[in-house]
Amino acid sequence: MDYPDTRKDDQVDDYHGTKVADPYRWLEDDNSAETLAWVTAQNQITFHYLEQIPYRSLLKQRLQELYNYPKYSIPSRSGAYYLWSKNDGLQNQSVLYVQNGLDGTPRVLIDPNQLSPDGTVRLIAGEASQDGRYFAYYLSSGGSDWLEGRVLEIETGKVLEDHLEWLKVTGLAWFNDGFFYSRYDAPEGGHDLSSRNEGHKVYYHRLFTAQGDDRLVYEDKAHPQRFHTLQTTEDERFALLTVSERGQGKDGNALFFLDLLRPEAAFTPIVAEVTNDSFQAVDSVGDKFLILTNQDAPNGRIVLYDPASGWNDIVPETKDSLTSASTQGGKLFVTYSRDVTSHPYVYSLEGRMENPIALPGPGTAGGFGGRHDDTSAFYAYSSFNYPSTIFRYEIASGKSALFRESAIKDFRAEDYETTQVFYPSKDGTRVPMFLVYKRGLKLDGNNPTLLYGYGGFNITVAPEFNPLRLALLEQGFVYASVNLRGGGEYGETWHQAGMKLAKQNVFDDFIAAAEWLIANNYTSPARLAITGGSNGGLLVGAVINQRPELFRAAVPQVGVMDMLRFQKFTIGWNWIADYGSSDNPEEFKALYRYSPLHNLRAGVTYPATLITTADHDDRVVPAHSFKYAAAMQEKASNSNPVLIRIDTQSGHGASNTSKALDTAADVYSFLMHNLGVEPHFLQAPR
């Protein structure tokens, strides 16, 4: 490959006595003409390479066919209205509908596709007022994490003049004739996608007023790297304030309540200090509070907090991980994860288990929760070979029935098989992995295989359906989804086993998964590819540094690749709770040992690598991928391509359907080409 010339500087930093070169520091300047020229040159090479793959356009056409079916959200009720969203198939954004009752005629409430010429304005979140008159909602432009708030009148669809800016990491909590939200001060001009975000504040916005008139509800000038989010109880009696301080390495939160019926009241602590224990307010019961916590319970428990008398267990800890809790219709809905599959139950508000909710099979369910006077609950279920389907659960009878299902043309679930295996990691830890493939797979060591992982931030990689994945499976791919330490699959203990100084466990788990697939004749190094995004992009970068010979192709997407400087940008300091910080001598040593950018070696034959990022990614800024690509192109043996694909008007995730399909087509084409897969139904003239 003839890569663009990338200038090197003599920048060297001193970390606790260790000198570390950073020759591509100039690529961190997202406003410079030189960075823009570099991006343009890199994209030219990457897209020229991709355009030479003969079946690329036909593969995109196939992805469009697979994705072109109606997709629905779970309906929510406010007063007489039900709100839900639908994407007809290939719409860039899902459309929000409203109807009067479940039998009413739907009408469009918000169509984000009409809000920008390129369809990259997204409806992120919204909430109806208690009386069902107004709907407040948040929009994102071009894939950015920055949000703007708007309000409309539900009956007429008229958008009010209310306009809120610079919202990020925010709730939306109605109270009387307005709502609470969280924001930052406006960033320095021209650096809104890269400058560090500090000074998170909670405001109250009254309808029909300007944002400049909003009332400041809470700030903490002494702790600028704290998040402050606020929710209100359904009866709007209480506000519940959650405070976290992940930038100081603390993984938990403090929790306060405010009696909104008493104008003179101040925030009262339920948990006064931020520690590593988490406390999630579920609901109020009279003047008491249901709280989901992992304090003294790594797998989670639910307690009832009485300000007058303290804590009482409602749902004690079990051997399974308690992943979510919500109330609806006078009941408590609790979902556990057992070997990475959902197990939902219905409890009384006093903590008496009443019945399980039967699911179609091992998979993922979510969405329970609603209003106190609801008579039914809606939830979605999916698995690797079961498209997302919405069920209606009747609270009185305890029975579920199909509400809405997705029909995918030419898809037959029985054509595919899903198995779960458990394998030993380097230290003997038992790690689960799901395998999905066409029925009748031959274990001859020659199957093209895509291994995916994440392994961080207490996030569970659940078995869920993705129609785009079918384009790989129908070509004989094995898709392997591994549940690494660092995630939330087995509670807080599992999470802590893959964070900070123990992060190498995550990479060991992933490498062991690849070795197991090879040893059990699913694939071989010549037919094995890996991918992951964000923290999973870090995973891919670290693993191909440590074991480059194990993989034929790698796709690190929007990855955290510079582990010494991630805390310098936007809300990167928030990740210190999981990663540690280079400002800490011991944590620096661990970070420096695996940082993808800093462990590339000259002359090594790395897998064929396609790095992806986007210009509006203000969560993991693209400079991570820019510097990593420049360093890898400099040092790799040049036996395999090292390319970077930089999207525009997109962010940490694709900003619309069209961009998601474009990216998938390019990633899948790159993988098939480098794994030697010639799609049997996509033969294009050469």
Side-chain angles (χ1 to χ4, degrees):
M1 301 293 296
D2 187 15
Y3 302 116
D5 291 330
T6 305
R7 176 172 63 85
K8 296 180 68 175
D9 287 340
D10 57 1
Q11 175 70 42
V12 176
D13 299 308
D14 188 321
Y15 292 93
H16 316 288
T18 299
K19 300 293 194 298
V20 179
D22 193 4
Y24 301 115
R25 175 77 58 85
W26 62 271
L27 283 169
E28 293 179 356
D29 186 352
D30 56 330
N31 285 322
S32 79
E34 187 178 16
T35 299
L36 178 60
W38 183 88
V39 167
T40 301
Q42 291 287 348
N43 266 345
Q44 286 176 345
I45 288 178
T46 297
F47 285 105
H48 176 74
Y49 176 94
L50 294 170
E51 287 161 3
Q52 305 309 305
I53 300 175
Y55 46 78
R56 175 180 176 234
S57 61
L58 291 175
L59 179 55
K60 181 180 177 182
Q61 180 179 326
R62 178 57 181 154
L63 291 169
Q64 289 174 328
E65 293 171 353
L66 291 168
Y67 204 74
N68 191 11
Y69 66 93
K71 307 167 193 68
Y72 299 90
S73 74
I74 297 169
S76 64
R77 184 177 71 86
S78 180
Y81 291 116
Y82 280 87
L83 293 92
W84 50 277
S85 64
K86 177 188 177 185
N87 190 306
D88 288 339
L90 295 177
Q91 290 175 289
N92 270 322
Q93 306 293 339
S94 295
V95 178
L96 182 68
Y97 292 86
V98 63
Q99 65 188 64
N100 198 324
L102 284 176
D103 298 322
T105 302
R107 60 180 171 88
V108 174
L109 189 62
I110 301 174
D111 184 357
N113 299 289
Q114 305 301 316
L115 300 180
S116 63
D118 60 359
T120 60
V121 171
R122 295 181 294 161
L123 175 62
I124 299 297
E127 189 75 30
S129 59
Q130 288 285 0
D131 57 12
R133 292 186 62 191
Y134 299 104
F135 185 76
Y137 56 99
Y138 297 152
L139 300 173
S140 164
S141 297
S144 171
D145 280 349
W146 286 118
L147 305 177
E148 61 174 314
R150 306 301 301 241
V151 184
L152 58 75
E153 190 177 57
I154 293 179
E155 184 175 350
T156 65
K158 176 184 176 182
V159 178
L160 308 184
E161 293 185 3
D162 303 57
H163 185 208
L164 310 179
E165 295 183 292
W166 305 117
L167 283 62
K168 187 181 282 193
V169 191
T170 178
L172 195 168
W174 282 94
F175 173 65
N176 287 342
D177 55 353
F179 55 90
F180 298 96
Y181 68 95
S182 304
R183 61 162 292 186
Y184 290 101
D185 291 337
E188 179 185 350
H191 295 279
D192 51 301
L193 297 178
S194 58
S195 62
R196 188 151 66 172
N197 305 142
E198 295 183 332
H200 205 228
K201 305 172 186 177
V202 179
Y203 285 88
Y204 177 75
H205 174 74
R206 190 179 301 276
L207 296 184
F208 307 106
T209 65
Q211 186 176 21
D213 297 327
D214 289 353
R215 175 169 59 90
L216 177 64
V217 174
Y218 192 88
E219 70 172 328
D220 186 348
K221 293 182 179 179
H223 300 91
Q225 290 186 348
R226 285 185 170 181
F227 288 139
H228 310 101
T229 56
L230 191 145
Q231 66 188 93
T232 49
T233 54
E234 184 180 322
D235 59 10
E236 295 189 359
R237 177 181 171 184
F238 294 107
L240 290 150
L241 175 70
T242 299
V243 179
S244 63
E245 197 172 22
R246 295 176 55 80
Q248 297 301 312
K250 300 173 183 176
D251 197 41
N253 63 278
L255 186 64
F256 300 79
F257 75 92
L258 175 68
D259 190 339
L260 294 170
L261 300 183
R262 298 170 53 207
E264 77 286 356
F267 282 101
T268 301
I270 298 175
V271 179
E273 300 296 332
V274 181
T275 67
N276 286 321
D277 297 324
S278 67
F279 302 89
Q280 175 190 330
V282 177
D283 200 354
S284 61
V285 181
D287 57 0
K288 304 175 181 65
F289 303 99
L290 288 169
I291 297 170
L292 169 58
T293 180
N294 62 10
Q295 185 184 52
D296 300 323
N299 288 342
R301 61 184 173 122
I302 300 174
V303 300
L304 184 68
Y305 174 73
D306 184 342
S309 61
W311 304 79
N312 289 291
D313 271 11
I314 292 296
V315 180
E317 182 185 27
T318 73
K319 60 182 179 60
D320 296 325
S321 175
L322 201 168
T323 57
S324 68
S326 57
T327 60
Q328 190 171 14
K331 302 295 182 183
L332 177 61
F333 289 79
V334 178
T335 301
Y336 291 93
S337 176
R338 185 178 306 147
D339 284 336
V340 208
T341 60
S342 294
H343 293 264
Y345 296 85
V346 180
Y347 285 76
S348 71
L349 295 181
E350 295 74 34
R352 184 182 67 258
M353 203 279 279
E354 297 185 349
N355 60 273
I357 297 177
L359 300 178
T364 303
F368 304 101
R371 301 180 65 84
H372 295 162
D373 58 351
D374 283 341
T375 59
S376 56
F378 295 92
Y379 64 93
Y381 168 84
S382 78
S383 192
F384 286 115
N385 60 350
Y386 194 109
S388 182
T389 302
I390 300 173
F391 292 88
R392 181 180 180 181
Y393 174 82
E394 296 297 339
I395 295 174
S397 68
K399 303 295 184 182
S400 292
L402 177 67
F403 182 71
R404 281 183 179 142
E405 64 180 335
S406 299
I408 303 177
K409 184 180 179 181
D410 299 329
F411 169 68
R412 298 186 343 135
E414 58 269 26
D415 291 343
Y416 302 94
E417 187 173 349
T418 298
T419 59
Q420 186 182 35
V421 300
F422 296 86
Y423 66 89
S425 188
K426 181 179 181 180
D427 63 359
T429 298
R430 183 173 180 262
V431 180
M433 176 167 57
F434 288 99
L435 306 176
V436 192
Y437 44 83
K438 285 178 69 173
R439 196 169 295 277
L441 179 78
K442 294 181 179 179
L443 296 180
D444 58 4
N446 197 42
N447 300 296
T449 299
L450 180 61
L451 176 61
Y452 170 83
Y454 186 80
F457 295 91
N458 204 27
I459 292 172
T460 295
V461 179
E464 295 177 326
F465 187 78
N466 181 350
L468 300 183
R469 193 183 298 133
L470 296 173
L472 297 176
L473 297 178
E474 61 192 13
Q475 298 305 319
F477 269 77
V478 174
Y479 179 78
S481 177
V482 58
N483 298 105
L484 309 167
R485 281 177 283 184
E489 286 83 352
Y490 294 103
E492 185 59 19
T493 301
W494 191 255
H495 174 212
Q496 292 184 10
M499 58 190 287
K500 292 187 177 178
L501 301 182
K503 188 68 175 177
Q504 182 60 40
N505 286 336
V506 183
F507 314 136
D508 291 342
D509 291 354
F510 202 58
I511 290 168
E515 292 174 333
W516 187 93
L517 289 166
I518 294 166
N520 286 273
N521 291 322
Y522 282 88
T523 191
S524 66
R527 303 279 273 174
L528 177 58
I530 55 174
T531 187
S534 193
N535 176 73
L538 156 65
L539 168 71
V540 172
V543 164
I544 63 174
N545 280 347
Q546 295 181 16
R547 293 293 301 277
E549 80 288 353
L550 203 54
F551 314 103
R552 179 67 185 90
V555 183
Q557 299 187 274
V558 294
V560 187
M561 312 310 260
D562 183 346
M563 298 308 297
L564 304 186
R565 288 178 58 79
F566 66 82
Q567 70 273 27
K568 306 290 185 183
F569 306 98
T570 62
I571 60 169
W573 46 262
N574 171 55
W575 313 330
I576 291 173
D578 237 65
Y579 295 147
S581 169
S582 59
D583 296 330
N584 177 295
E586 288 305 308
E587 291 171 350
F588 160 73
K589 292 177 184 178
L591 292 164
Y592 193 36
R593 277 195 296 269
Y594 70 76
S595 176
L597 174 64
H598 299 95
N599 287 277
L600 292 162
R601 292 166 287 154
V604 170
T605 300
Y606 289 101
T609 303
L610 177 63
I611 304 157
T612 71
T613 186
D615 64 349
H616 276 60
D617 189 348
D618 49 358
R619 192 177 312 173
V620 179
V621 294
H624 280 277
S625 293
F626 293 174
K627 292 165 65 175
Y628 177 69
M632 196 173 189
Q633 288 176 351
E634 173 201 352
K635 295 184 177 181
S637 68
N638 214 23
S639 302
N640 295 317
V642 175
L643 303 170
I644 181 169
R645 183 188 188 279
I646 305 146
D647 206 351
T648 58
Q649 284 297 109
S650 206
H652 199 58
S655 57
N656 65 24
T657 296
S658 177
K659 288 184 175 295
L661 292 172
D662 285 345
T663 300
D666 287 348
V667 169
Y668 287 6
S669 295
F670 181 85
L671 292 174
M672 289 182 181
H673 180 66
N674 283 282
L675 295 183
V677 176
E678 187 76 14
H680 64 268
F681 63 94
L682 297 176
Q683 300 298 330
R686 294 183 180 274

